[in-house]
Amino acid sequence: MGRAQGASHSPPSLCDGRFCFLVRPRIKTMRYIADIVNADKMSGRSRKYKIIFSPQKFYACEMVLEEEGVFGDVTCDEWSFYLLPLDEDIISMELPEFFRDYFLEGDHRWINSVARALQLLNSLYGPFGKAYGIGRCAKMSYELWRDLEEESEADGQGRKPEIGNVFLMDRDTDYVTALCSQVVYEGLVDDTFRIKCGSVDFGPDVTSSDKSIKVLLNAQDKVFSQIRNEHFSSVFGFLSQKSRNLQAQYDRRRGMDIKQMKNFVSQELKGLKQEHRLLSLHIGACESIMKKKTKQDFQEMIKAEHSLLEGFDIRESTSFIEEHIDRQVSPIESLRLMCLLSITENGLIPKDYRSLKTQYLQSYGPEHLLTFHNLKRIGLLTEQSAGETLTAVESKVSKLVTDRAAGKITDAFNSLARKSNFRAISKKLGLIPRVDGEYDLKMPRDMAYVFSGAYVPLSCKIIEQVTLGRGWVGLGLVGPTDNPAWDSQRVILAVFLGGCTFSEIAALRFLGKERGCKFIFLTTAITNSARMMEAMIEAKA
Amino acid sequence: LFPPPPQFTFLGQSLGFRKFELYTMEWSLKEDLRDCLVAAAPYGGPIALLKNNARKEKSPGVRPLLEIYSASGLLLASIPWKSGQLVQLGWTASEDLLCIQEDGTVLVYNLFCEFKRHFSMGNEVLQNHVLEAKVFHTEYGTGVAILTGAHRFSLTTNIDDLKLRRMPEVPGLQKPPSCWAVLSQDRVTIILLAVGQDLYLLDNTSCSVVTPPGMSPSAGAYLQMAVSFNYRCLALFTDTGYIWMGLATLKEKLCEFNSSIRSPPKQMVWCMRPQSRQRAVVVAWDRQLMVVGNSTECIRFVLDEDSYLVPELDGVRILSRTSHEFLHEIPEASQEIFKIASMAPGALLLEAQKEYEKESQKADEYLREIKDQKLLPEAVSQCIEAAGYEHEPDTQKSLLRAASFGKCFIDKFPAESFVHMCQDLRVLNAIRDYQIGIPLTFTQYPLYKRLTIEVLLDRLVLRRLYPLAIRICEYLRLSEIQGVSRILAHWACYKVRRQLEGLCPSGNLSLGWGWGRPSWAVVLLEYEPRSGEQVPLLLKMKRSKLALSKAIESGDTDLVYTVVLLLKNELNRGTFFMTLQNQPVALSLYRQFCKHQERETLKDLYNQDDNHQELGNFHVHSSYSEKRIEGRVGALQNALDEYYKAKNEFAAKATEDQIKLLRLQRHLQEDFDKPYLDLSLHDTVSNLILDGHHKRAEQLYREFKIPDKRYWWLKISALANRGDWEEMEKFSKSKKSPIGYLPLSCPPTPPPCCGGVRGRGQGDRRVSMSCARAGVTLAASPSQRLRGRGLPRKIQWDATPPVPAQPPLAV
């Protein structure tokens, strides 16, 4: 159902006299509905209209309906649908607009939804252990959730807690990770084909037939579940191994007698066929990814990204980006690289800032002037200015950190006040692994494998630091602080406000495996660099 | 010893009715009821009377008098009526009095004649006046339907959430309909009206003519209609004295009756029990009352004085100057027991108990008779149930005594039903007392879920009967929150209000939001811990600004929106903007709203705080929606000015360039008759080269100071796409390439003549330009330089795809 709220923008053609709209409470959608109703009125048709708002009705929506003169014609309802489990460990709120609404427009409307989602989880799985948070939104969501809990006098207090610690994290604490090209398989599939609500449309180039196939990607898919978290380079090896195994299993048929054959057909064949189908789909997907990525000089881009992360040869990277723009490779990709440059360098130097933007406008059209304005406001693409200005990361992080905090992280955050914060954090937290010899991507030793061993995602690193007990003063402690049940400690809820990427999910799954705990992800939506950039683009009215 | 059993009257074989007195009315009315406007609330509710209403013309000196009585005729309050001419009185489900004026204004009063609020039924009603009005109750709440002087209907289904609906016109309606009624079917409210011999059904959009099934053709014109309490049944009375009874859907006829009384009845109402399958209608004329049902006979009662019928869920209340009676269908249990010479187990048990008290051995005989039939449990249940339907405590007692007597002879008879009945009857008897005057029947009582105990308590609270309410709570052992503390809170509010009244006699308490002293209320509200809860009240008190900050405090965006949008309508623009200036959260929300809904307001907002940057953006944005190029240039020019004011030179320059580009593109479009508008600079130049307009391309390159690198990339790929290798050669020699020569060897889309040049190996990528006859030596590409840097990490892209498994053989 996840996409049902789309309220497809072609006028519906049903004419049985009843309309039911299942929508997100957005002003734009309201106007769309009002237009339909008014058009019907004009043409003298009478129908019944029902609007179901999910997850909740907003007064502003009713107001719009009223201003458009259709309030009396529709009936409204609410469907408090908050959580969509995409997989065994991923729960999405399917609110992709959260990112733009909150971080760009400063609209707090969804915080209430987040708080309610937390309340729901809390009532389902018992009280949480400790709660940590970073960012303003995390703080507000947390406080609102506490208020809700107090009001409702929750009855779940008595039950055994199933979730230990909770981490709330604003997307704007770590833009860098979200901006990097993804190289774990699931991330690549998302970047290339766009995973929507846990399923993906594989086009003809993947299925090697003339129709597209919709595939559900989750732990149920036996092939996918084994490769989703792998670095792309190991995926092919795995797949060929798998196909050999499969072949071997098929081959067993030869030399079977009738009885064995009967057994084989009734018990194994179906599974094998299924696996075979999935395998060929994923092989197709891999090939298609390969084809696309080599065309775009993916390797070079990754290298440029890595040198940006390391702060190495900035001039080279800048000219790479410039060339990228000049060649009109892709508006979204160009924008992403510019933002990555800005955020890792704590803003562009004024000359580059101007020239890159001018180049960009020339390449992709002048309407992106507004996009740049948005990016500046959100802190993704800024200009270095002398001294004191803090970028998005700094200002948000430093607010929440006090001197009382001990350990590495505090130092790192304290150093944020200084220039070039990403560099500083990266150094303090060791986000760029030291290299001795080759980084073995097949047997990774840390979370950096999700970015080819070049970079440990900041968001995940922060969570790691806290689970290791390295100290972090966040929102304070909640619930029973003394000896919560051990097994509940093993389950950690990571809440990403503004979306999280599959790379982060893969990294934390890896961390969980290493440390013997399990991460559950609650995110406002699955995101990636392209989705983030698209959210910033000012659509033509 | 025992009160005589109530009088039964039978209609046909099985349908028994009885009429008994609820109260001797305490009021000493001088007027006839027919001279007053009367309204009585259902469920034993209060009675409102407006005296002298009709006599206005005769003696202008006498003001009408509005009086409210309890069902037992005790005066609750009265006020002289000073407002406009009243057409209709009615009660809401929460026992507020609705006074519908001729001009369509509806005034709402509470039980004590204190003004609460008013609302209007719309302009159309105001102009054409109210001819008739009806108050009705549906699942949506209390509604009001109005017939205007222009013979049009307007209605609202819920007066607390006022949405006015104007019903469609009835074609050719010249005079008011003879009768009409409001129906509620499938949650839709519709109007049924009769004009002469025709019936019309009005729904939201259309008017249709309907004919009731089985209607005798000679029935004549309709005079009166009645809809049952649950909107299920409909009765029609015609001028031949014929009564049609059927379903309100007009799909089925239930029965008919010919009364042979041709004069129009004063009132006609349904009288039936919720669970019963029997249906009957009570018709009232001046001096007689007739009960008709599925039978050729009817029951007639003589009316000694002018009466008024109040339909109830399970019967009809009959009001007159001296008495208040209840007419209802006798429930089965009571019939069984009280029917003359009944041999039902319950009747026998009652008899047995009587004999037992007389110490007669007959008691044992009766008891044996029941026991032999193994009907003792049934007999007990029958007695218990019948007790519930009795109004006289003595009859109740004797029935309960019989039940308790019978109970002794049964093993493990569950006591709950008996205990509950005793409890319920105590509560019912307490509120039926004439001092309280709520003649609720057992059917209407909570157990039947029509009213919950909270509603009953609320009604007592409304009547300010706090001690009784608390006693009932205690008796029923209700939880503190549900019961006592809630009532105490109401009482406290009432007391505080009285206190305030004493403090400021000038404060007009009956007007406004109720308490008269906003500041006091605000102080009290501060003690409300949840800010979200404070907001609606603050709004009610017109403390909008305080409400706004409280809403923001609560973190509930929707609440903030509510307040902001209300403020918008309440304050003038300047003040509204100023208020928002101090509340950034609210401001950003309002901006969001404007962005989609009122773009012009957005401009004013930015203007107000001299936000030139945003104003510039605004103009750029609106340039997109301009169709004509002049319009777009104009909007961009505005943006340009704003950007200059904002000292954003970059944006200004970019906008200037865009204006220049737009103008150029228009020229190009005119010159070459091809679309150039809306292309980026890059694409414009690229298209020019593709079409072979090298001069023009060159001109743009200079005019817009396109960097060399870009120009080279652009030109090479465009030329390659065009396959113009001569021009390419010329260009490559024109000056030194700023981007190296690799791109020349493999342009983005390789032309057929130089396919497969791309070096696949990781080694030397110095490939000679296969297509360039010039033999230019190639420099390393930038990408190669990057790679050459020798990063320690080697990324393995295993480029050999695995062999897909063979498709399984069909077995």
Side-chain angles (χ1 to χ4, degrees):
Chain A
M1 61 50 63
R3 286 291 147 212
Q5 73 266 30
S8 63
H9 278 255
S10 60
S13 54
L14 294 163
C15 34
D16 64 342
R18 272 164 207 251
F19 271 170
C20 183
F21 302 91
L22 177 60
V23 294
R24 290 283 185 216
R26 313 226 72 189
I27 292 172
K28 233 174 137 183
T29 333
M30 288 308 109
R31 293 188 58 134
Y32 170 72
I33 293 172
D35 287 347
I36 292 179
V37 177
N38 278 327
D40 281 353
K41 270 196 199 162
M42 290 286 279
S43 58
R45 256 173 302 184
S46 92
R47 285 177 171 148
K48 284 179 186 168
Y49 310 92
K50 185 174 196 75
I51 307 180
I52 302 173
F53 293 97
S54 174
Q56 66 190 97
K57 182 167 72 180
F58 285 141
Y59 179 75
C61 294
E62 289 184 328
M63 196 67 192
V64 172
L65 291 176
E66 200 174 323
E67 284 188 5
E68 301 290 320
V70 298
F71 187 55
D73 302 290
V74 300
T75 49
C76 298
D77 229 325
E78 280 184 345
W79 182 34
S80 36
F81 176 86
Y82 291 102
L83 304 174
L84 177 71
L86 291 183
D87 205 340
E88 283 168 352
D89 56 352
I90 309 174
I91 305 168
S92 168
M93 298 183 63
E94 286 304 310
L95 287 172
E97 55 258 66
F98 184 100
F99 181 64
R100 186 181 165 116
D101 279 352
Y102 177 78
F103 292 106
L104 182 65
E105 317 271 13
D107 183 342
H108 296 181
R109 69 171 78 190
W110 300 118
I111 292 181
N112 195 26
S113 309
V114 173
R116 288 199 185 277
L118 284 175
Q119 189 189 17
L120 189 59
L121 281 177
N122 197 45
S123 69
L124 288 175
Y125 299 110
F128 301 148
K130 292 180 189 174
Y132 303 88
I134 187 162
R136 230 166 79 88
C137 182
K139 191 162 190 284
M140 287 195 282
S141 313
Y142 172 78
E143 280 167 1
L144 201 58
W145 166 56
R146 290 311 310 165
D147 286 352
L148 286 177
E149 286 294 332
E150 269 165 40
E151 268 175 48
S152 70
E153 295 165 36
D155 43 352
Q157 292 301 328
R159 44 179 305 170
K160 193 168 144 279
E162 290 177 55
I163 294 176
N165 293 345
V166 179
F167 293 90
L168 296 150
M169 183 169 301
D170 283 15
R171 185 70 265 175
D172 67 354
T173 22
D174 179 15
Y175 282 136
V176 176
T177 307
L179 286 173
C180 289
S181 300
Q182 307 195 66
V183 284
V184 287
Y185 181 66
E186 193 167 11
L188 259 176
V189 172
D190 191 30
D191 276 358
T192 325
F193 304 102
R194 292 281 169 116
I195 299 177
K196 285 176 191 148
C197 278
S199 76
V200 68
D201 270 323
F202 280 138
D205 54 331
V206 174
T207 58
S208 51
S209 62
D210 49 356
K211 58 179 193 293
S212 353
I213 298 180
K214 202 176 181 93
V215 185
L216 215 55
L217 293 180
N218 56 30
Q220 307 284 315
D221 180 337
K222 282 203 192 101
V223 180
F224 180 67
S225 66
Q226 280 170 292
I227 53 173
R228 66 197 304 187
N229 299 323
E230 295 298 319
H231 188 269
F232 191 65
S233 60
S234 7
V235 169
F236 267 134
F238 175 84
L239 288 180
S240 48
Q241 180 61 41
K242 185 96 191 162
S243 67
R244 272 196 293 278
N245 287 352
L246 208 57
Q247 192 59 53
Q249 272 175 297
Y250 274 126
D251 288 345
R252 279 207 345 244
R253 262 173 325 156
R254 297 191 189 133
M256 276 183 186
D257 58 26
I258 298 285
K259 200 174 169 201
Q260 282 169 323
M261 185 68 96
K262 205 172 156 191
N263 245 349
F264 175 78
V265 170
S266 63
Q267 285 166 11
E268 289 171 54
L269 191 63
K270 203 175 160 211
L272 283 178
K273 267 186 172 170
Q274 168 79 357
E275 216 164 304
H276 176 258
R277 195 182 71 87
L278 292 170
L279 193 60
S280 50
L281 268 177
H282 287 297
I283 290 172
C286 283
E287 282 172 339
S288 170
I289 292 172
M290 281 292 291
K291 221 183 283 166
K292 279 182 192 145
K293 293 304 180 190
T294 44
K295 209 196 296 176
Q296 288 168 12
D297 297 323
F298 191 54
Q299 299 250 16
E300 279 147 37
M301 193 154 73
I302 294 250
K303 290 215 162 141
E305 266 176 38
H306 290 177
S307 47
L308 284 178
L309 290 169
E310 275 176 83
F312 193 82
D313 276 350
I314 296 306
R315 280 265 50 93
E316 292 261 8
S317 308
T318 313
S319 38
F320 173 80
I321 297 172
E322 205 172 349
E323 186 188 314
H324 198 272
I325 296 169
D326 283 351
R327 293 174 59 188
Q328 289 185 306
V329 179
S330 142
I332 294 290
E333 290 279 281
S334 302
L335 208 55
R336 176 176 74 85
L337 289 171
M338 284 166 75
C339 292
L340 196 60
L341 174 66
S342 161
I343 206 117
T344 52
E345 284 300 294
N346 195 29
L348 302 174
I349 53 172
K351 189 174 134 278
D352 288 345
Y353 186 61
R354 284 171 152 262
S355 81
L356 283 179
K357 284 204 302 187
T358 315
Q359 298 285 320
Y360 193 91
L361 293 182
Q362 289 188 354
S363 264
Y364 301 116
E367 65 272 15
H368 288 289
L369 189 59
L370 301 184
T371 311
F372 286 133
H373 180 72
N374 288 346
L375 287 170
K376 187 181 174 188
R377 209 158 81 188
I378 202 172
L380 273 171
L381 187 62
T382 51
E383 187 175 0
Q384 275 178 15
S385 54
E388 77 297 326
T389 30
L390 300 177
T391 59
V393 183
E394 289 174 331
S395 53
K396 259 126 202 165
V397 174
S398 55
K399 247 177 257 164
L400 286 156
V401 178
T402 63
D403 318 281
R404 284 190 295 124
K408 256 180 161 179
I409 300 204
T410 328
D411 290 350
F413 287 141
N414 284 344
S415 69
L416 289 178
R418 290 200 298 276
K419 211 171 160 275
S420 188
N421 62 91
F422 176 73
R423 258 334 135 252
I425 291 186
S426 152
K427 215 165 159 189
K428 286 283 174 191
L429 294 178
L431 295 184
I432 313 291
R434 265 200 307 279
V435 199
D436 13 280
E438 289 222 331
Y439 191 97
D440 187 358
L441 291 168
K442 290 203 168 68
M443 297 289 290
R445 24 166 227 267
D446 56 23
M447 293 188 285
Y449 91 94
V450 300
F451 293 116
S452 309
Y455 163 66
V456 182
L458 170 58
S459 46
C460 307
K461 189 73 181 179
I462 292 176
I463 292 178
E464 185 190 11
Q465 292 290 319
V466 183
T467 46
L468 286 177
R470 295 272 168 82
W472 175 24
V473 171
L475 296 172
L477 308 176
V478 208
T481 45
D482 41 7
N483 294 334
W486 180 244
D487 44 335
S488 79
Q489 279 286 61
R490 304 279 83 187
V491 180
I492 298 165
L493 179 70
V495 185
F496 286 86
L497 302 166
C500 81
T501 64
F502 280 119
S503 294
E504 287 167 311
I505 291 175
L508 286 177
R509 279 176 183 153
F510 172 81
L511 183 68
K513 226 184 279 167
E514 292 277 288
R515 303 243 181 276
C517 53
K518 187 171 168 58
F519 282 95
I520 306 282
F521 303 91
L522 171 62
T523 175
T524 51
I526 296 289
T527 191
N528 62 16
S529 53
R531 290 197 188 98
M532 254 170 78
M533 292 296 112
E534 278 159 13
M536 290 299 115
I537 287 179
E538 198 66 43
K540 282 196 176 191
Chain B
L1 190 59
F2 296 103
Q7 288 303 307
F8 289 11
T9 326
F10 279 88
L11 181 67
Q13 286 298 311
S14 57
L15 198 52
F17 283 89
R18 71 172 160 187
K19 191 173 80 152
F20 58 90
E21 187 168 66
L22 291 168
Y23 303 107
T24 317
M25 289 306 267
E26 294 287 318
W27 60 19
S28 35
L29 276 189
K30 291 185 194 69
E31 297 82 359
D32 262 337
L33 274 180
R34 77 177 80 118
D35 297 330
C36 303
L37 220 47
V38 189
Y43 297 107
I47 305 160
L49 279 185
L50 186 73
K51 296 173 173 176
N52 305 329
N53 191 37
R55 290 196 199 142
K56 205 180 165 194
E57 296 82 20
K58 290 178 198 164
S59 48
V62 184
R63 279 200 185 282
L65 191 64
L66 177 67
E67 292 180 328
I68 296 178
Y69 293 93
S70 76
S72 54
L74 287 174
L75 185 68
L76 293 176
S78 75
I79 47 162
W81 187 252
K82 291 174 188 162
S83 305
Q85 178 75 23
L86 279 183
V87 177
Q88 182 75 34
L89 294 174
W91 290 94
T92 69
S94 50
E95 302 203 323
D96 281 329
L97 181 65
L98 299 180
C99 305
I100 303 165
Q101 288 191 157
E102 204 177 38
D103 61 358
T105 312
V106 181
L107 301 129
V108 186
Y109 285 83
N110 73 3
L111 269 174
F112 296 96
C113 284
E114 285 165 4
F115 178 79
K116 287 179 85 169
R117 65 190 179 97
H118 73 93
F119 59 89
S120 164
M121 290 299 288
N123 276 334
E124 204 261 348
V125 179
L126 180 69
Q127 280 158 18
N128 295 320
H129 284 271
V130 180
L131 218 56
E132 284 175 48
K134 279 186 170 50
V135 176
F136 58 94
H137 305 270
T138 63
E139 64 261 49
Y140 295 114
T142 304
V144 173
I146 295 230
L147 169 65
T148 69
H151 312 314
R152 293 285 300 262
F153 288 92
S154 284
L155 64 82
T156 173
T157 46
N158 183 3
I159 57 154
D160 293 322
D161 178 19
L162 200 65
K163 281 185 212 166
L164 291 176
R165 261 168 47 196
R166 194 157 172 236
M167 305 304 265
E169 206 168 353
V170 181
L173 186 64
Q174 292 303 324
K175 54 176 188 184
S178 51
C179 53
W180 56 282
V182 182
L183 301 178
S184 172
Q185 283 167 4
D186 301 332
R187 324 223 295 162
V188 179
T189 310
I190 50 183
I191 284 180
L192 181 72
L193 67 144
V195 184
Q197 304 204 20
D198 300 315
L199 270 184
Y200 296 93
L201 206 56
L202 279 183
D203 61 18
N204 277 349
T205 49
S206 61
C207 170
S208 46
V209 180
V210 284
T211 358
M215 188 75 183
S216 107
S218 56
Y222 300 104
L223 288 181
Q224 182 73 273
M225 60 175 80
V227 186
S228 67
F229 207 78
N230 54 11
Y231 293 102
R232 196 81 57 66
C233 305
L234 176 76
L236 299 163
F237 187 95
T238 69
D239 62 0
T240 53
Y242 171 86
I243 301 171
W244 181 92
M245 286 166 267
L247 294 187
T249 50
L250 291 169
K251 296 240 167 69
E252 193 184 319
K253 180 168 97 167
L254 295 168
C255 48
E256 60 183 7
F257 183 80
N258 208 329
S259 71
S260 61
I261 300 177
R262 284 165 172 272
S263 62
K266 249 178 64 190
Q267 265 184 303
M268 178 161 84
V269 295
W270 281 87
C271 174
M272 52 200 231
R273 302 184 55 76
Q275 261 88 35
S276 165
R277 291 181 48 230
Q278 307 289 350
R279 292 179 175 93
V281 169
V282 179
V283 195
W285 286 268
D286 272 343
R287 281 289 170 257
Q288 75 166 326
L289 199 68
M290 191 182 265
V291 184
V292 300
N294 192 8
S295 163
T296 47
E297 300 158 42
C298 67
I299 306 172
R300 285 167 202 262
F301 295 98
V302 176
L303 293 175
D304 300 328
E305 40 186 3
D306 199 25
S307 297
Y308 179 79
L309 304 186
V310 187
E312 286 281 0
L313 178 73
D314 54 344
V316 180
R317 284 194 284 148
I318 305 163
L319 274 177
S320 72
R321 243 166 58 176
T322 55
S323 74
H324 190 167
E325 291 174 306
F326 188 60
L327 171 71
H328 74 148
E329 182 204 329
I330 305 156
E332 203 182 344
S334 311
Q335 253 186 64
E336 297 268 282
I337 292 177
F338 291 119
K339 221 161 39 179
I340 295 159
S342 167
M343 293 299 278
L348 291 175
L349 184 61
L350 185 64
E351 210 55 39
Q353 201 270 337
K354 278 180 195 169
E355 295 301 330
Y356 173 73
E357 272 190 11
K358 284 190 219 154
E359 299 181 0
S360 149
Q361 83 287 357
K362 274 189 185 167
D364 186 49
E365 280 171 32
Y366 285 127
L367 208 55
R368 254 173 220 292
E369 196 169 329
I370 311 171
K371 275 170 116 177
D372 289 347
Q373 290 172 287
K374 294 209 171 56
L375 286 173
L376 195 53
E378 203 190 322
V380 174
S381 320
Q382 231 171 34
C383 284
I384 294 175
E385 198 194 335
Y389 298 122
E390 290 311 312
H391 224 69
E392 281 301 320
D394 287 336
T395 324
Q396 294 167 2
K397 274 185 207 158
S398 64
L399 283 164
L400 286 174
R401 234 181 264 129
S404 141
F405 173 71
K407 221 153 60 77
C408 303
F409 300 95
I410 309 174
D411 279 343
K412 299 191 191 111
F413 184 83
E416 288 86 10
S417 59
F418 183 78
V419 173
H420 283 152
M421 181 56 78
C422 292
Q423 277 183 351
D424 292 343
L425 283 177
R426 275 199 78 171
V427 174
L428 280 174
N429 289 340
I431 60 169
R432 281 172 190 165
D433 186 281
Y434 85 96
Q435 293 277 13
I436 310 295
I438 306 179
L440 214 55
T441 66
F442 186 69
T443 320
Q444 297 160 10
Y445 184 69
L447 282 187
Y448 282 74
K449 305 287 179 219
R450 302 289 163 177
L451 280 169
T452 65
I453 190 74
E454 273 96 348
V455 176
L456 178 65
L457 292 174
D458 282 345
R459 294 172 122 208
L460 292 175
V461 166
L462 272 181
R463 287 165 171 75
R464 296 178 193 152
L465 299 166
Y466 305 106
L468 178 65
I470 288 179
R471 292 260 291 284
I472 290 179
C473 289
E474 282 167 355
Y475 177 67
L476 293 177
R477 300 210 182 96
L478 295 181
S479 71
E480 281 274 303
I481 309 159
Q482 201 188 2
V484 176
S485 53
R486 202 166 59 98
I487 292 158
L488 284 176
H490 277 291
W491 172 75
C493 285
Y494 173 64
K495 280 286 164 198
V496 170
R497 206 169 98 189
R498 287 281 292 270
Q499 210 69 34
L500 289 169
E501 215 165 346
L503 279 168
C504 58
S506 59
N508 191 349
L509 275 168
S510 58
L511 279 169
W513 47 271
W515 281 27
R517 285 292 296 258
S519 53
W520 278 63
V522 173
V523 172
L524 287 173
L525 259 184
E526 275 299 310
Y527 292 99
E528 167 65 56
R530 286 161 297 178
S531 34
E533 298 289 314
Q534 302 173 354
V535 176
L537 274 171
L538 285 169
L539 280 178
K540 231 172 169 179
M541 288 182 249
K542 306 257 179 262
R543 290 296 174 105
S544 326
K545 286 179 195 170
L546 191 59
L548 183 60
S549 43
K550 287 285 174 198
I552 291 168
E553 217 171 273
S554 79
D556 183 345
T557 324
D558 198 31
L559 208 57
V560 181
Y561 252 128
T562 316
V563 182
V564 167
L565 295 177
L566 279 173
L567 274 179
K568 184 183 119 191
N569 295 334
E570 194 177 290
L571 304 174
N572 67 40
R573 222 157 207 230
T575 346
F576 175 56
F577 284 177
M578 282 309 289
T579 316
L580 287 185
Q581 285 306 323
N582 303 326
Q583 300 283 8
V585 178
L587 183 61
S588 81
L589 279 177
Y590 185 60
R591 276 201 196 122
Q592 281 283 302
F593 179 78
C594 290
K595 230 174 224 176
H596 294 106
Q597 191 68 6
E598 298 171 8
R599 289 199 58 87
E600 282 307 304
T601 317
L602 195 61
K603 197 166 79 183
D604 299 344
L605 265 176
Y606 291 139
N607 253 326
Q608 156 121 354
D609 44 336
D610 293 329
N611 193 340
H612 297 296
Q613 175 66 38
E614 286 293 351
L615 275 171
N617 290 349
F618 174 84
H619 288 302
V620 170
H621 216 284
S622 46
S623 81
Y624 297 151
S625 48
E626 290 284 350
K627 290 275 177 297
R628 292 170 316 115
I629 190 156
E630 293 80 17
R632 278 170 67 172
V633 170
L636 287 174
Q637 199 70 50
N638 285 341
L640 184 62
D641 295 346
E642 294 297 343
Y643 283 140
Y644 272 128
K645 278 187 208 154
K647 298 204 172 57
N648 186 342
E649 279 160 40
F650 174 78
K653 179 77 178 36
T655 316
E656 213 170 309
D657 280 350
Q658 203 197 340
I659 296 175
K660 204 156 83 182
L661 183 63
L662 270 176
R663 290 197 171 127
L664 243 159
Q665 284 172 335
R666 187 172 54 176
H667 283 302
L668 292 176
Q669 216 155 297
E670 280 163 9
D671 292 354
F672 302 127
D673 196 25
K674 277 193 139 186
Y676 277 97
L677 272 183
D678 283 332
L679 293 180
S680 71
L681 178 62
H682 187 109
D683 294 338
T684 313
V685 179
S686 187
N687 277 12
L688 282 173
I689 297 174
L690 272 178
D691 296 341
H693 306 299
H694 298 297
K695 277 260 167 56
R696 288 305 261 286
E698 202 78 14
Q699 183 196 343
L700 255 71
Y701 157 63
R702 276 193 301 275
E703 220 166 281
F704 285 92
K705 298 202 187 74
I706 296 177
D708 286 349
K709 276 187 189 173
R710 166 189 299 282
Y711 191 61
W712 274 70
W713 273 117
L714 180 162
K715 190 146 182 180
I716 291 170
S717 55
L719 285 176
N721 274 339
R722 194 171 137 85
D724 191 347
W725 309 115
E726 262 169 53
E727 185 64 30
M728 179 91 92
E729 190 181 345
K730 227 167 34 183
F731 181 59
S732 68
K733 283 177 184 164
S734 64
K735 60 179 176 180
K736 191 175 174 294
S737 162
I739 54 169
Y741 287 90
L742 185 68
L744 276 166
S745 73
C746 44
T749 29
C753 66
C754 61
V757 215
R758 216 184 154 99
R760 274 186 67 83
Q762 294 287 315
D764 193 7
R765 289 182 79 177
R766 283 164 174 266
V767 237
S768 60
M769 201 166 103
S770 68
C771 59
R773 276 138 265 182
V776 192
T777 329
L778 299 174
S781 74
S783 52
Q784 207 161 0
R785 271 178 280 133
L786 270 173
R787 183 166 301 149
R789 206 172 57 217
L791 274 174
R793 266 170 298 282
K794 186 179 161 208
I795 296 157
Q796 301 144 339
W797 290 87
D798 191 348
T800 40
V803 195
Q806 291 291 312
L809 288 178
V811 185

